[in-house]
Amino acid sequence: MAYATSSKFTTTQANALSTVEPTSLVPEVSARIQRLATDDQLALLWFIYLEMGKSITPAAPGAARLQLAEGLLTQVKALSPEEQMGFMRDLVAQRNTPLSRAYGVFNANTKLGFWYCLAQGMDEGTVVRVPQSYKPSRAVQEILNVLVTQTNFSQQITILRNAVVNMGFDALS
């Protein structure tokens, strides 16, 4: 893996995250994810899947109405790799596109399940994945380290849900 999993942080930001009260860890990590650049957010979701995908399996798809997302997932898989990456970037940037609007109407659990299915597609090679040449920023490494070393399963799911819930474009909001 291209990221560190040590619980020792070397930057002031990391130290600040490691000293956050457990009750404020979820909002603090969620806020830091939202501040990441678009490609860093996409890479973080991929690394989280690689690190925790098997434990997330029952929570994400089981809680979501994934049949609602299957049509969009099929459309995304039919796109070229460049178009798939553009779609994911549009979601993060909340751009008003037909596919982003389709995603925007999903509920929080369906959005979480949709990203799980995208990650599975990346793993299977049917969805473009983070380029192997991508080097995670320090912020991505720190957030992933906190998720792996300082959060429990429930906090991890909440943070992931928070990360994907505002993606896409919701014309009703």
Side-chain angles (χ1 to χ4, degrees):
M1 285 272 150
Y3 57 87
T5 56
S6 167
S7 62
K8 298 288 184 193
F9 301 110
T10 58
T11 68
T12 304
Q13 279 190 330
N15 288 334
L17 257 183
S18 66
T19 60
V20 171
E21 291 294 318
T23 56
S24 58
L25 190 61
V26 168
E28 179 64 27
V29 173
S30 297
R32 287 179 188 257
I33 291 171
Q34 297 302 315
R35 290 192 299 264
L36 290 173
T38 297
D39 285 350
D40 283 344
Q41 286 186 47
L42 294 174
L44 180 66
L45 291 172
W46 171 241
F47 293 144
I48 290 170
Y49 170 79
L50 291 176
E51 186 68 33
M52 298 182 268
K54 300 224 181 341
S55 63
I56 293 170
T57 304
R65 295 182 183 157
L66 287 180
Q67 67 272 17
L68 300 175
E70 285 177 8
L72 181 58
L73 192 58
T74 299
Q75 290 179 57
V76 171
K77 287 182 177 183
L79 297 173
S80 71
E82 293 80 16
E83 292 169 321
Q84 289 174 351
M85 184 59 71
F87 162 73
M88 290 185 278
R89 287 175 173 150
D90 287 346
L91 289 182
V92 174
Q94 299 175 317
R95 289 191 185 100
N96 185 357
T97 68
L99 295 178
S100 190
R101 284 192 303 273
Y103 173 90
V105 300
F106 296 158
N107 70 28
N109 284 334
T110 302
K111 288 178 179 181
L112 183 60
F114 181 80
W115 277 98
Y116 178 81
C117 291
L118 279 179
Q120 283 183 314
M122 291 175 197
D123 204 20
E124 297 162 356
T126 59
V127 174
V128 66
R129 64 169 65 171
V130 174
Q132 289 190 347
S133 62
Y134 172 81
K135 300 289 185 218
S137 68
R138 180 173 289 149
V140 168
Q141 292 177 19
E142 291 167 355
I143 291 168
L144 188 59
N145 284 335
V146 168
L147 283 170
V148 171
T149 63
Q150 297 181 33
T151 58
N152 62 39
F153 180 76
S154 176
Q155 290 170 315
Q156 291 167 355
I157 293 297
T158 300
I159 290 167
L160 284 170
R161 188 178 296 113
N162 290 348
V164 302
V165 73
N166 291 321
M167 291 182 180
F169 185 84
D170 185 355
L172 300 176
S173 59

